[in-house]
Amino acid sequence: MASRLLNRLAASSRLLPASVRSYASAPPSASAVRRTVTAKYPSRTSAAKASTTVGRNSPSAVDNTADEIGIPPEAYDAPAEIVPSSSTLRSSASAPETATPVEFTDSAAIGGSPHDPTHPDWSRSYFGLSTQPFPREVSDVLMTPVDPLDVEIKPDGLIYLPEIKYRRVLNKAFGPGGWGLAPRSETNVGPRVVSREYALVCLGRLVGIARGEQEYFDPNGIPTATEACKSNALMRCCKDLGIASELWDPRFIREFKSKYCVEVFAEDTRTKKKKKLWRRKDQPAFDYPYKE
């Protein structure tokens, strides 16, 4: 028993140096470097085969296994690899590019939006305003004198051109699709009035801005009032193009009313009250609710 115990202790003493593998985590001493460099190691394949025999039937094979990792001295002179933190990456991220300022008259390269120069944001842009006049043939259509047969008059004496007449003039001058109304504000719904600001854009250029308004008497009528508000803004914007500009000329108003209109007494069939009302001479007499 004693001899067998001694044999086991001797075998374990031979295995101990091979089972302990040292890994370089810091620059070793000069003597250790010299010892590592001069040592001759077996191939990677033989070392791997030897490591698989540890603790098996042939412990003597472990004696041929490399016990240390050879690190050349120049490896310690290489700078340590630095991994940037997430905060460093965020701070070093490039700032978003901003739109490069372009001359306003360069219509081929600029729009009204700082984020998309080729498509103006008509809710804020004034692109094309007063840059150049429209061609002569377009101006002639826009500034054609109004036809008295197209002008209407309200019972209170206010003369006006129906909204569809303005659209026909714009279609004739710029073509269908060559003009449009762009909202410049949210719809403002008051207790009795709906209003909203619009921009008139013709051939990609801003030509006029106006706020339309329309009264309503029931909440169910707000959608209709909103559409009428848009038409009212269109008529106001067309003043800047010279369309039916005579309707804002006091002299033309007086001459038109004296030549084409008449003021008559009419009685309200509901209240039996009489009042003066205006109508065109070529229109039939009032019938309901007012009766001449």
Side-chain angles (χ1 to χ4, degrees), residues 104 107 120 122 125-135 138-139 174 178-180 182 199-208 241:
F104 184 79
S107 59
W122 294 117
S125 175
Y126 291 86
F127 171 67
L129 185 64
S130 74
T131 54
Q132 61 181 355
F134 288 112
V138 174
S139 300
F174 304 108
W179 65 276
L200 177 60
V201 181
C202 300
L203 301 180
R205 295 167 47 190
L206 180 73
V207 296
L241 291 176

Side-chain angles (χ1 to χ4, degrees), residues 43-242:
S43 63
R44 186 181 185 91
T45 305
S46 62
K49 291 181 179 179
S51 63
T52 58
T53 62
V54 177
R56 295 190 179 179
N57 296 329
S58 56
S60 60
V62 182
D63 296 337
N64 298 327
T65 305
D67 295 332
E68 294 181 352
I69 300 175
I71 301 177
E74 58 270 13
Y76 297 108
D77 298 332
E81 182 180 0
I82 300 176
V83 179
S85 63
S86 58
S87 59
T88 305
L89 292 175
R90 286 194 299 268
S91 61
S92 61
S94 59
E97 296 183 0
T98 57
T100 304
V102 185
E103 291 297 330
F104 184 79
T105 55
D106 189 2
S107 59
I110 186 172
S113 172
H115 306 292
D116 188 0
T118 61
H119 296 84
D121 179 8
W122 294 117
S123 65
R124 297 179 299 169
S125 175
Y126 291 86
F127 171 67
L129 185 64
S130 74
T131 54
Q132 61 181 355
F134 288 112
R136 183 67 180 179
E137 56 273 15
V138 174
S139 300
D140 291 341
V141 174
L142 297 174
M143 301 181 67
T144 300
V146 65
D147 187 353
L149 295 178
D150 292 335
V151 180
E152 300 290 343
I153 187 169
K154 294 183 178 181
D156 59 1
L158 180 65
I159 65 173
Y160 67 98
L161 190 68
E163 179 264 346
I164 190 60
K165 305 290 185 179
Y166 291 92
R167 295 181 181 270
R168 290 175 180 172
V169 173
L170 292 173
N171 285 334
K172 186 177 180 180
F174 304 108
W179 65 276
L181 281 177
R184 291 183 70 91
S185 70
E186 298 294 333
T187 302
N188 182 15
V189 181
R192 293 185 59 184
V193 177
V194 174
S195 68
R196 192 175 193 180
E197 189 177 83
Y198 287 89
L200 177 60
V201 181
C202 300
L203 301 180
R205 295 167 47 190
L206 180 73
V207 296
I209 299 175
R211 176 171 289 273
E213 59 182 353
Q214 178 63 38
E215 290 184 335
Y216 71 95
F217 304 98
D218 185 88
N220 295 328
I222 292 179
T224 303
T226 302
E227 185 66 18
C229 171
K230 178 181 177 181
S231 299
N232 182 248
L234 174 63
M235 292 188 291
R236 293 179 174 180
C237 287
C238 285
K239 289 189 296 182
D240 295 339
L241 291 176

Side-chain angles (χ1 to χ4, degrees), residues 209-277:
I209 299 175
R211 176 171 289 273
E213 59 182 353
Q214 178 63 38
E215 290 184 335
Y216 71 95
F217 304 98
D218 185 88
N220 295 328
I222 292 179
T224 303
T226 302
E227 185 66 18
C229 171
K230 178 181 177 181
S231 299
N232 182 248
L234 174 63
M235 292 188 291
R236 293 179 174 180
C237 287
C238 285
K239 289 189 296 182
D240 295 339
L241 291 176
I243 302 177
S245 59
E246 299 92 336
L247 301 183
W248 283 268
D249 186 347
R251 182 178 295 275
F252 175 85
I253 295 174
R254 290 192 297 266
E255 293 177 356
F256 176 83
K257 293 174 72 173
S258 63
K259 185 176 181 179
Y260 297 99
C261 304
V262 61
E263 189 177 24
V264 298
F265 275 102
E267 182 182 87
D268 191 342
T269 57
R270 298 162 298 183
T271 61
K272 303 301 180 181
K273 292 183 178 180
K274 292 184 178 182
K275 63 184 304 185
K276 282 188 174 183
L277 300 177

